[in-house]
Amino acid sequence: MKLIHLLLLLIFSISTAQENNILNRLSVLPNGTKIWYNIDGYTVTRENFNYSFDEKGLKKVFRKYNIEGSDVKTKDNLIVYNNLYVSKQQKVNDYQSQNSSYYFLENPDKTIDVIWFIKNGKTDKDTEEKLVNAIVENKIPEENYVTMKINSINFAGRKIELGNDCYWTFLNTVQCPYSGEMNWSVHKTLDDAKEAIENQLNNTKSQKGGKVTSEELVTIQFEGVTTKAKKVIYEFTGVTSALAGMSGGKSLNIYYVAENVRDRNISCVMSFWNNDHINPETKLPVLLEKIISLK
């Protein structure tokens, strides 16, 4: 019985460690004075301020992040640096709220680092703390970093060649003119990936300047895995339609998918304009052809 108990504890420990291995889900992009991170559907930024970690210096930084005197500030004892932690929530639309977690950190040189987590939907304090500690202790390996100029991407463990025309519009968001656009994130759980997809879809529906004119479930091959995706057609109206029409685009075809691929839980949103270069055989532009095929 003792041996069985020890084996069960070992299995639990291994599975928990694997589940919380943030490096398998993390992308990092240095951009000027800020560093951007993507994990589990979070948008994360790190910024340094040359102010002292004292009442006067913190007030200046709080002002930049719209932290008010009434906002609760606590110390997170699981963070290796001295810190103050603030959590805030803001309603985005009728469907969802945006959650922000701020970690104000005292650096060894007494200046202030701010690591800011933004996410629509459920947050995970354990992941936040693990990432903050990995950042300040310089434990993020080089392979997790990407560069501003891209001709290939690491898409959840697979290298995809893009050529020279594509660029980041945000971390883990790639646009290829007339060839499609996509954003993705790798998640701790598949449920979290599915929630991220729902949040993005709800965000699309709440956008002003257009409307969803078609919504259906379709079967696709996503990275070789047969799965269901939500296909949406979004048409622009009014002034937005006129501006979009100047470039020939009037509507977007958007695919929302969440699936486990290569032992990674991926949320991915892919889109293309009605006037993009579409392959008549696949009915997709070049970028989307690299990720999905239609059934």
Side-chain angles (χ1 to χ4, degrees), residues 15-26:
S15 63
T16 302
Q18 289 173 339
E19 194 174 274
N20 287 299
N21 186 355
I22 63 170
L23 298 180
N24 287 340
R25 315 193 303 273
L26 180 66

Side-chain angles (χ1 to χ4, degrees), residues 56 137 140 159 180 198 224 237 287:
K56 184 178 179 181
E137 294 182 297
I140 300 175
K159 184 178 181 180
E198 282 300 312
T237 58
L287 177 60

Side-chain angles (χ1 to χ4, degrees), residues 258-274:
E259 189 53 79
N260 182 277
V261 175
R262 296 184 290 276
D263 293 325
R264 291 171 170 87
N265 302 303
I266 307 171
S267 64
C268 186
V269 178
M270 298 153 284
S271 64
F272 61 91
W273 289 90
N274 63 289

Side-chain angles (χ1 to χ4, degrees), residues 53 79 82-83 103-107 111-113 115 132 136:
F53 192 89
I79 302 300
N82 185 29
N83 69 88
Y103 295 81
F104 300 90
L105 308 164
E106 182 179 14
N107 290 316
T111 60
I112 301 171
D113 258 14
I115 301 178
V132 170
V136 300

Side-chain angles (χ1 to χ4, degrees), residues 37 46 115 130-140:
Y37 306 82
R46 178 192 186 183
I115 301 178
K130 286 181 184 297
L131 180 54
V132 170
N133 284 332
I135 291 171
V136 300
E137 294 182 297
N138 295 315
K139 289 185 176 179
I140 300 175

Side-chain angles (χ1 to χ4, degrees), residues 35-91:
I35 303 177
W36 300 87
Y37 306 82
N38 182 287
I39 184 172
D40 294 356
Y42 277 103
T43 296
V44 188
T45 60
R46 178 192 186 183
E47 189 170 12
N48 177 257
F49 295 90
N50 195 28
Y51 302 134
S52 296
F53 192 89
D54 55 26
E55 184 177 356
K56 184 178 179 181
L58 285 167
K59 275 186 177 180
K60 293 179 181 178
V61 178
F62 288 159
R63 197 175 302 121
K64 289 180 179 291
Y65 285 87
N66 297 315
I67 304 300
E68 301 173 356
S70 59
D71 291 325
V72 177
K73 306 165 186 71
T74 59
K75 180 175 181 178
D76 188 331
N77 292 316
L78 295 180
I79 302 300
V80 295
Y81 280 9
N82 185 29
N83 69 88
L84 286 175
Y85 166 76
V86 178
S87 176
K88 299 184 75 170
Q89 187 178 79
Q90 179 182 2
K91 188 174 182 179

Side-chain angles (χ1 to χ4, degrees), residues 43 45 110 114 136 165 173 256 267:
T43 296
T45 60
K110 305 304 179 183
V114 181
V136 300
D165 295 330
T173 303
Y256 300 82
S267 64

Side-chain angles (χ1 to χ4, degrees), residues 18-220:
Q18 289 173 339
E19 194 174 274
N20 287 299
N21 186 355
I22 63 170
L23 298 180
N24 287 340
R25 315 193 303 273
L26 180 66
S27 298
V28 187
L29 175 65
N31 184 15
T33 59
K34 294 184 179 181
I35 303 177
W36 300 87
Y37 306 82
N38 182 287
I39 184 172
D40 294 356
Y42 277 103
T43 296
V44 188
T45 60
R46 178 192 186 183
E47 189 170 12
N48 177 257
F49 295 90
N50 195 28
Y51 302 134
S52 296
F53 192 89
D54 55 26
E55 184 177 356
K56 184 178 179 181
L58 285 167
K59 275 186 177 180
K60 293 179 181 178
V61 178
F62 288 159
R63 197 175 302 121
K64 289 180 179 291
Y65 285 87
N66 297 315
I67 304 300
E68 301 173 356
S70 59
D71 291 325
V72 177
K73 306 165 186 71
T74 59
K75 180 175 181 178
D76 188 331
N77 292 316
L78 295 180
I79 302 300
V80 295
Y81 280 9
N82 185 29
N83 69 88
L84 286 175
Y85 166 76
V86 178
S87 176
K88 299 184 75 170
Q89 187 178 79
Q90 179 182 2
K91 188 174 182 179
V92 178
N93 51 53
D94 292 337
Y95 304 99
Q96 59 193 319
S97 296
Q98 177 178 282
N99 298 293
S100 292
S101 298
Y102 305 84
Y103 295 81
F104 300 90
L105 308 164
E106 182 179 14
N107 290 316
D109 63 0
K110 305 304 179 183
T111 60
I112 301 171
D113 258 14
V114 181
I115 301 178
W116 179 17
F117 292 77
I118 304 173
K119 187 176 183 181
N120 292 342
K122 296 176 185 175
T123 60
D124 184 346
K125 194 71 161 61
D126 178 63
T127 294
E128 293 178 14
E129 291 164 341
K130 286 181 184 297
L131 180 54
V132 170
N133 284 332
I135 291 171
V136 300
E137 294 182 297
N138 295 315
K139 289 185 176 179
I140 300 175
E142 199 65 34
E143 54 262 33
N144 287 85
Y145 284 76
V146 299
T147 58
M148 285 298 294
K149 187 175 181 180
I150 54 173
N151 51 34
S152 67
I153 57 172
N154 178 352
F155 182 69
R158 182 170 75 93
K159 184 178 181 180
I160 299 177
E161 298 292 340
L162 298 178
N164 298 318
D165 295 330
C166 303
Y167 54 88
W168 300 114
T169 56
F170 205 70
L171 178 54
N172 280 22
T173 303
V174 171
Q175 184 168 347
C176 303
Y178 295 100
S179 296
E181 182 174 2
M182 62 181 287
N183 72 72
W184 76 95
S185 193
V186 183
H187 297 257
K188 187 175 177 180
T189 67
L190 185 56
D191 283 343
D192 191 57
K194 290 178 179 178
E195 182 187 54
I197 286 301
E198 282 300 312
N199 286 335
Q200 288 207 55
L201 177 57
N202 287 333
N203 189 52
T204 299
K205 291 178 177 178
S206 68
Q207 292 298 309
K208 296 179 180 179
K211 61 181 180 180
V212 171
T213 58
S214 174
E215 181 178 340
E216 61 178 326
L217 268 180
V218 296
T219 302
I220 64 169

